[in-house]
């Protein structure tokens, strides 16, 4: 259990550097499995999910090492195609290892990741896409074995722009000596980052970032060196910390072009924002304003991973806001916790009506990664002390040294790690 004790009401001011993107690093590590030798990732965030993915790669026979923010994966000697169940449970996003294993070895086995705090998280789009690409899948309970039966040119159509399914198709296709056309693809920046690495490894990926991605694969891919793109979600969460405390922040090493929806929402809340190549400057008003209606959508729409942090900003603002969570069916777990701090939020299905008011400190529990960050933000913006109990260490899964970084610009967060 980790307990974050926050003394609220202190305006933050200073400069931070954005971390590398969790949701890019994880799929790039899956891609490293495709190479016949060593892949090096720079700007790889030091977070629990990356450590878990490295542990899985090692269990498959890779040799992994880290030096600061640089990670190396030697995939010369892949010796297993079964992702261990206990490791898979820790991190459902390792489902993209299935596409990499199929591409590298022609077979792969996982335990279906199952649901998590925010929703059922099915993988039916992934499995249908694999079947369209000539993969045969056998399921026994939650154990799933997949095998390439016929390497062939394929056309795959996704019914929804699923990020993970798009990535899984690209990983498998990159290692097949044929052409795969994927329509209905997700357009997230992390997809473009993956395409860059796959192209450096010797595949030919075109159209990443649009809804149609074409992959000409190869049955031999080389290791490569790649710098992970900045984390647009963690960067926006840093901006939210300055915003909720009426402070100011200079945030460097960010990809501003990936943060349009978040920046637009912060401006709507009354923040002044300026940007130049690679940096964002935010100055918040003493108290934020209501933001009207925010709807989570696939990229480039408002990101679902920022829904919880922005519900916190809205909860402390002067005025009302409405949040519509279109991506996941159970992603308001932070709301009952915010109620304990005096928030006036009513949820009906996917819609949360937030009537802003000052919050007071309280004892709250983090149930998931982004909800946990939202509770830290609430503690920063509330009057008095807040304790965020994080039994599953959710926050450390995705935010690199969050308390050290936020304390360096004026926050007062004490961390207790209990057994
Ligand atoms: C990725 O999850 C991210 N995770 C999520 O971030 C992010 O919220 C999500 O994309 C949406 O942007 C990683 O990249 C590791 P999806 P993913 O497939 O790929 C449904 C975080 O906090 N769906 O785009 O799992 C699904 O249930 C995490 O960093 C199916 O029905 O998301 C959801 O409702 C949370 N069948 C919607 O599609 C499928 O086969 C979008 O899911 C696949 C998905």
């Amino acid at each position: 259990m980790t307990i974050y004790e926050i003394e609220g009401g202190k305006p933050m001011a200073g400069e931070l550097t954005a971390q590398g993107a969790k949701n890019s690093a994880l799929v790039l590590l899956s891609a490293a499995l495709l190479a016949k030798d060593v892949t090096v990732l720079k700007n790889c965030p030091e977070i629990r999910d990356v450590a878990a993915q490295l542990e899985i790669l090692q269990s498959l026979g890779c040799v992994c090492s880290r030096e600061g923010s640089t990670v190396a994966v030697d995939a010369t000697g892949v010796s297993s195609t079964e992702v261990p169940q206990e490791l898979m449970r820790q991190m459902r996003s390792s489902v993209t290892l299935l596409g990499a294993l199929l591409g590298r070895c022609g077979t792969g086995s996982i335990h279906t990741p199952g649901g998590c705090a925010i929703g059922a998280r099915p993988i039916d789009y992934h499995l249908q896409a694999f079947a369209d690409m000539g993969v045969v899948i056998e399921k026994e309970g939650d154990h799933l074995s997949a095998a390439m039966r016929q390497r062939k040119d394929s056309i795959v159509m996704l019914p929804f722009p699923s990020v993970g399914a798009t990535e899984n198709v690209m990983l498998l296709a990159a290692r097949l000596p044929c052409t795969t056309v994927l329509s209905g693809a997700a357009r997230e920046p992390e997809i473009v980052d993956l395409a860059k690495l796959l192209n450096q490894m010797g595949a030919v990926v075109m159209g990443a970032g649009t809804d149609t991605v074409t992959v000409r694969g190869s049955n031999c891919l080389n290791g490569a060196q790649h710098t992970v793109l900045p984390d647009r979600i963690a960067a926006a969460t840093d901006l939210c910390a300055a915003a909720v405390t009426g402070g100011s922040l200079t945030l460097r090493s960010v990809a501003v072009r990936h943060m349009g929806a978040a920046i637009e929402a912060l401006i709507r809340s009354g923040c002044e924002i300026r940007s130049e190549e690679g940096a964002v400057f935010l100055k918040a008003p003493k108290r934020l304003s209501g933001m009207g209606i925010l709807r989570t959508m696939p990229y480039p729409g408002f990101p679902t991973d920022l829904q919880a942090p922005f519900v916190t900003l809205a909860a402390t603002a002067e005025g009302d806001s409405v949040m519509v969570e279109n991506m996941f069916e159970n992603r308001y777990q932070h709301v009952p916790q915010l109620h304990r701090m005096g928030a006036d939020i009513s949820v009906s299905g996917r819609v949360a009506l937030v009537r802003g008011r000052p919050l007071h400190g309280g004892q709250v529990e983090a149930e998931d990664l982004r909800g946990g960050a939202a509770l830290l933000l609430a503690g920063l913006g509330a009057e008095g002390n807040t304790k965020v109990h994080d039994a599953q260490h959710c926050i450390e899964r995705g935010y690199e040294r969050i308390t050290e970084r936020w304390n360096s610009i004026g926050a007062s967060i004490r961390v207790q790690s209990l057994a």
Side-chain angles (χ1 to χ4, degrees):
M1 160 89 82
T2 303
I3 299 177
Y4 298 85
E5 190 165 359
I6 304 150
E7 191 189 330
K10 302 162 77 81
M12 292 164 87
E15 182 166 317
L16 291 174
T17 300
Q19 73 175 61
K22 165 179 90 79
N23 291 347
S24 183
L26 293 175
V27 69
L28 296 174
L29 287 168
S30 293
L33 202 55
L34 297 168
K36 64 177 174 43
D37 45 27
V38 182
T39 296
V40 175
L41 296 182
K42 296 189 165 193
N43 197 34
C44 194
E46 294 180 67
I47 53 177
R48 289 173 72 90
D49 272 10
V50 167
Q53 187 80 326
L54 290 171
E55 201 181 334
I56 295 175
L57 288 172
Q58 296 204 144
S59 75
L60 298 172
C62 297
V63 177
C64 304
S65 60
R66 176 189 273 279
E67 215 172 293
S69 65
T70 298
V71 162
V73 176
D74 184 345
T76 310
V78 172
S79 53
S80 164
T81 62
E82 169 94 36
V83 179
Q85 181 171 13
E86 67 285 357
L87 294 176
M88 184 91 202
R89 271 222 187 94
Q90 267 182 39
M91 201 185 50
R92 56 176 328 288
S93 50
S94 37
V95 67
T96 57
L97 284 164
L98 185 55
L101 283 167
L102 281 166
R104 170 67 188 260
C105 310
T107 63
S109 304
I110 62 168
H111 288 265
T112 42
C116 70
I118 64 175
R121 313 294 294 276
I123 60 169
D124 52 325
Y125 304 159
H126 300 238
L127 302 181
Q128 183 53 53
F130 284 150
D132 295 344
M133 296 170 75
V135 175
V136 170
I137 290 158
E138 281 164 24
K139 281 177 98 171
E140 209 176 311
D142 71 349
H143 187 258
L144 187 152
S145 295
M148 270 316 295
R149 276 288 174 273
Q150 187 198 2
R151 286 169 171 71
K152 61 187 176 72
D153 287 358
S154 308
I155 293 176
V156 179
M157 302 178 75
L158 288 180
F160 181 86
S162 154
V163 172
T166 301
E167 292 167 344
N168 245 336
V169 169
M170 289 168 66
L171 288 163
L172 171 52
R175 202 58 167 65
L176 298 179
C178 38
T179 298
T180 304
V181 179
L182 170 63
S183 68
R187 298 163 50 194
E188 272 69 3
E190 293 76 30
I191 304 288
V192 177
D193 214 27
L194 172 61
K196 281 182 187 155
L197 176 58
L198 294 175
N199 282 329
Q200 284 172 274
M201 293 168 86
V204 179
V205 183
M206 293 169 288
T210 73
D211 61 5
T212 304
V213 179
T214 303
V215 181
R216 172 86 200 147
S218 160
N219 52 21
C220 178
L221 294 179
N222 306 306
Q225 178 164 305
H226 180 78
T227 299
V228 178
L229 93 170
D231 193 315
R232 59 196 168 97
I233 304 299
T237 310
D238 287 336
L239 293 175
C240 288
V244 80
T245 57
S248 60
L249 175 62
T250 295
L251 189 56
R252 298 206 180 278
S253 306
V254 290
V256 184
R257 66 191 178 287
H258 297 159
M259 300 173 67
I263 287 172
E264 194 265 335
L266 285 165
I267 290 170
R268 264 204 250 173
S269 77
C271 293
E272 288 167 34
I273 294 191
R274 195 168 54 79
S275 65
E276 64 188 32
E277 188 41 42
V280 175
F281 309 92
L282 175 142
K283 178 155 183 22
K286 192 151 175 36
R287 187 150 177 225
L288 299 173
S289 309
M291 287 167 264
I293 300 181
L294 286 174
R295 294 179 178 84
T296 66
M297 302 295 283
Y299 187 87
F302 186 82
T304 175
D305 294 345
L306 289 177
Q307 178 259 100
F310 274 78
V311 162
T312 288
L313 264 56
T316 65
E318 175 97 51
D320 297 348
S321 307
V322 175
M323 180 64 77
V324 184
E325 171 54 65
N326 293 308
M327 302 295 284
F328 290 102
E329 68 272 22
N330 188 36
R331 204 166 195 178
Y332 285 124
Q333 308 235 53
H334 44 290
V335 170
Q337 304 301 323
L338 291 172
H339 286 156
R340 292 186 186 179
M341 299 175 71
D344 179 354
I345 307 172
S346 46
V347 173
S348 167
R350 290 181 178 267
V351 180
L353 171 60
V354 187
R355 296 187 192 287
R357 59 196 301 197
L359 298 187
H360 55 72
Q363 301 250 10
V364 291
E365 272 136 49
E367 312 275 348
D368 62 272
L369 169 62
R370 308 302 178 184
L375 295 176
L376 291 183
L377 292 170
L380 292 175
E383 277 310 312
N385 276 15
T386 296
K387 278 190 176 178
V388 179
H389 296 251
D390 184 356
Q392 305 303 323
H393 309 288
C394 305
I395 295 167
E396 295 160 12
R397 292 187 49 185
Y399 296 98
E400 187 178 56
R401 292 193 290 275
I402 192 167
T403 48
E404 181 189 318
R405 293 170 75 254
W406 285 2
N407 284 343
S408 74
I409 56 168
S412 173
I413 306 175
R414 201 164 63 85
V415 182
Q416 282 178 288
S417 291
L418 310 176

